[in-house]
Amino acid sequence: MYEYKEPSSGERPAEAHRGSAARFRTRVSATGTGSSTMGGTMGPVLHWLHDVAAVTLLKARRTLFQAAVLFCVLGLLLWVSIFLYGSFYYSYMPTVSFSAPVHFYYSSDCDASESELCSFPTANISLLKNDRDQVMAYGQPYRISLELELPESPVNEQLGMFMVKMMCYTKGGKMVSSVQRSTMLHYRSTLLQTLSTFFFSPLLLTGMAEQKQLIEVELFSAYKTNSYQPTVSTVIEIQSKRVQIYSSQLRIHAYFTGVRYVLYNFPLTSAVIGVATNFAFLGVIVLFSYLQFVWGGLWPPDQVRIKVMMGDSTRMQQRREEVKKRMEQENSQKELVSPRVIGSLNDASDDQADDTVVAQSSKTPFVNATEPNVPNSEKDVSPDSVVLEGVDQSETTLRQRSGPSKSL
């Protein structure tokens, strides 16, 4: 019978150790096999991800660089467009309005009465800005007016109408134009003056209002300065010795037409249109320059080469035709000029000439493109060379025929 024998205490740990070692090796081998399989699978994926990341980064960098260059170019074009429009506006648009104070002077070395001056009040006004630039542009119409601030004094009310004279001068002191206009205070009845004084008495007492009138005298409605004799100064004279004036202003206002009217009355719309036009024009120029630099132009150079070659072949054909015509004319002229001898001597000379022509023609090579034995160098004969050879042969024949006549 089979007897069960328990292992000894020394044998059990050894067997347990061997079993655990075997199981560990099995696990290690399984783990190594799985890791090697995973590493073999993940290696190409990591390389592909690295390549994709590198290409994406390169494309992003290139796109960012191109966008930066495009943004800089567009910004530069916009700045240049604004600068060009501003320069055009500054140079094309003249001064819209000009105002200058008028300071009248008069002589005071006379024995005048209480209400009269010694001379007419006169003022000299310069029409130059900063003593250099002219106020009025050439060919532009201007409205010139004089504003007089007159008190409602009894002297001015009794004065009635008086004349205002304006004279325009050039730089050399030559008067180019003059005008005279009449004016006066506006009429106000005694009752109206009393009521206005009563209602405006608080303002009149505090000094916030005054009893005065502002009169505007239009001197020129459409004055144009001459480019050959520009107006640089003017003299204004009040032709009254009793007039009383608080202050005076000379105002010059331009009346625009055409493009200047649009630029002045619609500044924002004109600025947008002008800048956009300049931007489009400069953009087209930059685009053409870029195409010329990158592609070498909008049209490929092959077409130009074909046109040049066609022109060369046409010129060669014309030259050949001219040479052929010249040869025919020379042959016809030489046949007419060659002498004819009557008799046996003429026949003999003709026979000798024929023998000579036959002998020389047998010596000269005949070019035939159909013969198979002719070398390629003789076959590839240009029409110009053939024509020249024909000219030489005709000259040789004529010289041999004219020999006997010379001997006779």
Side-chain angles (χ1 to χ4, degrees), residues 302-319:
D302 296 334
Q303 297 180 1
V304 180
R305 294 177 182 175
I306 291 172
K307 291 180 181 179
V308 173
M309 293 175 64
M310 291 174 63
D312 294 340
S313 61
T314 305
R315 287 194 294 270
M316 293 294 294
Q317 186 67 24
Q318 292 178 357
R319 291 178 182 176

Side-chain angles (χ1 to χ4, degrees), residues 127-144:
L127 300 180
L128 296 176
K129 294 184 299 183
N130 300 325
D131 296 334
R132 293 184 306 154
D133 302 330
Q134 296 183 6
V135 174
M136 295 182 288
Y138 304 139
Q140 173 64 41
Y142 289 91
R143 180 179 180 270
I144 303 177

Side-chain angles (χ1 to χ4, degrees), residues 207-350:
M208 298 179 64
E210 295 181 0
Q211 291 180 331
K212 62 182 180 180
Q213 292 185 14
L214 184 64
I215 300 175
E216 184 178 3
V217 183
E218 185 181 17
L219 300 174
F220 289 97
S221 59
Y223 181 79
K224 293 182 180 180
T225 182
N226 191 357
S227 59
Y228 297 99
Q229 295 178 347
T231 303
V232 297
S233 64
T234 180
V235 175
I236 297 176
E237 182 181 58
I238 306 297
Q239 295 182 351
S240 176
K241 294 182 180 180
R242 299 180 59 191
V243 66
Q244 295 177 352
I245 301 173
Y246 277 156
S247 63
S248 179
Q249 290 281 334
L250 179 66
R251 299 191 182 278
I252 300 175
H253 186 78
Y255 280 111
F256 296 130
T257 57
V259 179
R260 288 176 176 173
Y261 177 82
V262 176
L263 292 176
Y264 178 71
N265 293 281
F266 305 97
L268 184 60
T269 306
S270 303
V272 172
I273 295 175
V275 172
T277 303
N278 293 333
F279 185 83
F281 181 73
L282 294 175
V284 170
I285 293 177
V286 171
L287 180 61
F288 281 178
S289 302
Y290 176 76
L291 294 177
Q292 180 69 26
F293 177 75
V294 175
W295 292 347
L298 295 177
W299 294 274
D302 296 334
Q303 297 180 1
V304 180
R305 294 177 182 175
I306 291 172
K307 291 180 181 179
V308 173
M309 293 175 64
M310 291 174 63
D312 294 340
S313 61
T314 305
R315 287 194 294 270
M316 293 294 294
Q317 186 67 24
Q318 292 178 357
R319 291 178 182 176
R320 293 192 188 98
E321 292 178 357
E322 290 177 358
V323 171
K324 288 181 181 179
K325 290 181 181 179
R326 194 182 305 165
M327 286 176 53
E328 292 176 357
Q329 292 177 0
E330 290 179 356
N331 291 335
S332 60
Q333 290 178 1
K334 290 181 180 179
E335 288 179 358
L336 293 174
V337 172
S338 60
R340 296 181 181 179
V341 181
I342 302 174
S344 58
L345 294 175
N346 191 8
D347 297 334
S349 63
D350 291 338

Side-chain angles (χ1 to χ4, degrees), residues 114-232:
E114 297 179 358
S115 60
E116 291 185 359
L117 303 176
C118 297
S119 63
F120 293 149
T122 308
N124 191 356
I125 305 169
S126 176
L127 300 180
L128 296 176
K129 294 184 299 183
N130 300 325
D131 296 334
R132 293 184 306 154
D133 302 330
Q134 296 183 6
V135 174
M136 295 182 288
Y138 304 139
Q140 173 64 41
Y142 289 91
R143 180 179 180 270
I144 303 177
S145 61
L146 180 66
E147 290 184 356
L148 294 174
E149 189 177 4
L150 305 177
E152 292 180 343
S153 61
V155 176
N156 287 338
E157 290 178 356
Q158 296 175 4
L159 180 63
M161 297 180 63
F162 58 92
M163 298 295 294
V164 178
K165 183 178 181 181
M166 180 177 180
M167 296 166 287
C168 300
Y169 292 91
T170 61
K171 189 175 182 180
K174 180 180 179 182
M175 186 176 65
V176 292
S177 62
S178 65
V179 66
Q180 291 183 355
R181 294 289 186 267
S182 63
T183 185
M184 65 176 295
L185 283 176
H186 297 286
Y187 173 74
R188 298 178 68 185
S189 64
T190 306
L191 179 60
L192 181 59
Q193 290 180 0
T194 304
L195 292 176
S196 63
T197 304
F198 176 74
F199 282 107
F200 292 101
S201 58
L203 298 178
L204 294 174
L205 293 174
T206 57
M208 298 179 64
E210 295 181 0
Q211 291 180 331
K212 62 182 180 180
Q213 292 185 14
L214 184 64
I215 300 175
E216 184 178 3
V217 183
E218 185 181 17
L219 300 174
F220 289 97
S221 59
Y223 181 79
K224 293 182 180 180
T225 182
N226 191 357
S227 59
Y228 297 99
Q229 295 178 347
T231 303
V232 297

Side-chain angles (χ1 to χ4, degrees), residues 26-41:
T26 303
R27 292 177 182 176
V28 170
S29 61
T31 305
T33 305
S35 61
S36 62
T37 304
M38 186 179 296
T41 305

